C-alpha cells in the first residue's frame, strides 16, 4: 500500500506518519527530514534547500521530485509500500509523482488554522527520532520521552516563517485535495487538539479496510 499524508504544517503529519509507518511496516519518507539531513551534512542539496526552507518557501520541484523518485526506487519501498509525508506539495509534483508511482490512498488531515501558529512556534523536535513535543507539556524537559534524544527548535518554527509556510500551503498545496478527490483516493480527517492517538485510531480504521 502506497500512501500520501497531506495537511498544513503543524497538522500533525509527522506524528501520524510515525504511527502509520510502525503499524503497517512501511518506510516513512519525509522530504522535510531528507532536506534537514542534507543541511546537517552540508551537502550540495542541503545548501540549496536551506535558502528556501529558512524563508518558508518550497524547494524547487525538479530537485524535490528527483530525490523522491530515487528514494522510492530503494528496496524497502518494494515490500509493504511506503508512506510519503510532505510530498507532493504542488500540483506539478503530484503530476510528476504519477509518472513513477502508483498511490493507493491519500490521508488528508484538515485542521483549523487558528491552532497552527501556537503549535508550530511552541514545537520542540527530537534530534534523534524526530518526535514532536509542545513546550506547554514539557515542564522544562530538554530531552525526548521516547528515546532520550536532545530536543531542539526548528529554525523555520518562528512566527514570520510559519506565516509564509501557511500561505504556501493555501496557495500551492491545498489544491491537491481537489486533485486527489477527483481520483477518488482521498480519505478526509479532522485534526484537533486531542491526543494524537485519537486521530490515529480513526486513520488506522480506514487504512485497515484497504489492507484487507
Ligand atoms: P512542515 O510540514 O511542518 O512545514 P516539513 O518538514 O514537511 O515541515 O518541510 C519543511 C520545509 O522543507 C518546507 O517548508 C519546504 O521548504 C521544504 N519542503 C519539504 N517538502 C517539500 C516539498 N515536497 N516540496 C518543496 N519543498 C519541500
Ligand atoms: Zn526521540
Amino acid at each position: 500500500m502506497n500512501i500520501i499524508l497531506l495537511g498544513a504544517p503543524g497538522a500533525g503529519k509527522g506524528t501520524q506518519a510515525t504511527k502509520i509507518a510502525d503499524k503497517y511496516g512501511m518506510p516513512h519518507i519525509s522530504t522535510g527530514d531528507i532536506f534537514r539531513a542534507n543541511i546537517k551534512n552540508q551537502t550540495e542539496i542541503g545548501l540549496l534547500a536551506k535558502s528556501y526552507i529558512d524563508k518558508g518557501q518550497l524547494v524547487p520541484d525538479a530537485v524535490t521530485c528527483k530525490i523522491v523518485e530515487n528514494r522510492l526506487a530503494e528496496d524497502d519501498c518494494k515490500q509493504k509500500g511506503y508512506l510519503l509525508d510532505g510530498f507532493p506539495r504542488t500540483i506539478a509534483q503530484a503530476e510528476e509523482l504519477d509518472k513513477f508511482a502508483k498511490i493507493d490512498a491519500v490521508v488528508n488531515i484538515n485542521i483549523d488554522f487558528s491552532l497552527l501558529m501556537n503549535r508550530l512556534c511552541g514545537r520542540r523536535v527530537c534530534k534523534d527520532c524526530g518526535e514532536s513535543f509542545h513546550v506547554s507539556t514539557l515542564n522544562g524537559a530538554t530531552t525526548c520521552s521516547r528515546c532520550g534524544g536532545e530536543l531542539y527548535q526548528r529554525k523555520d518554527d518562528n512566527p514570520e516563517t510559519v506565516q509564509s509556510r501557511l500561505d504556501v500551503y493555501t496557495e500551492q498545496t491545498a489544491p491537491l485535495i481537489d486533485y486527489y478527490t477527483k481520483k477518488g483516493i482521498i480519505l478526509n480527517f479532522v485534526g484537533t487538539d486531542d491526543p494524537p492517538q485519537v486521530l490515529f485510531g480513526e486513520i488506522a480504521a480506514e487504512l485497515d479496510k484497504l489492507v484487507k
Side-chain angles (χ1 to χ4, degrees), residues 32-64:
D33 286 349
I34 293 172
F35 288 135
R36 281 183 291 277
N38 275 278
I39 292 172
K40 196 173 162 199
N41 296 326
Q42 302 183 337
T43 68
E44 208 173 311
I45 286 172
L47 213 64
L48 173 99
K50 188 172 163 37
S51 60
Y52 295 93
I53 293 177
D54 285 354
K55 286 184 264 178
Q57 295 169 359
L58 295 183
V59 178
D61 287 339
V63 179
T64 310

Side-chain angles (χ1 to χ4, degrees), residues 169-184:
Y169 169 80
T170 303
E171 285 156 26
Q172 304 199 53
T173 309
L176 291 175
I177 297 173
D178 219 40
Y179 183 89
Y180 289 115
T181 301
K182 286 189 181 129
K183 286 186 186 281

Side-chain angles (χ1 to χ4, degrees), residues 36 67 74 110 162 191:
R36 281 183 291 277
I67 286 175
E74 286 179 37
N110 284 299
V162 166

Side-chain angles (χ1 to χ4, degrees), residues 74-88:
E74 286 179 37
D75 281 345
D76 61 342
C77 294
K78 294 173 185 156
Q79 285 139 27
K80 294 181 172 166
Y82 47 79
L83 175 66
L84 284 170
D85 165 12
F87 183 94

Side-chain angles (χ1 to χ4, degrees), residues 102-115:
K102 164 87 182 65
I103 302 302
D104 300 293
V106 177
V107 170
N108 178 40
I109 307 175
N110 284 299
I111 187 159
D112 191 335
F113 265 41
S114 64
L115 295 173

Side-chain angles (χ1 to χ4, degrees), residues 126 128-131 144 146-149:
C126 172
D128 292 335
C129 77
E131 182 79 313
C144 171
R146 188 165 172 245
C147 79

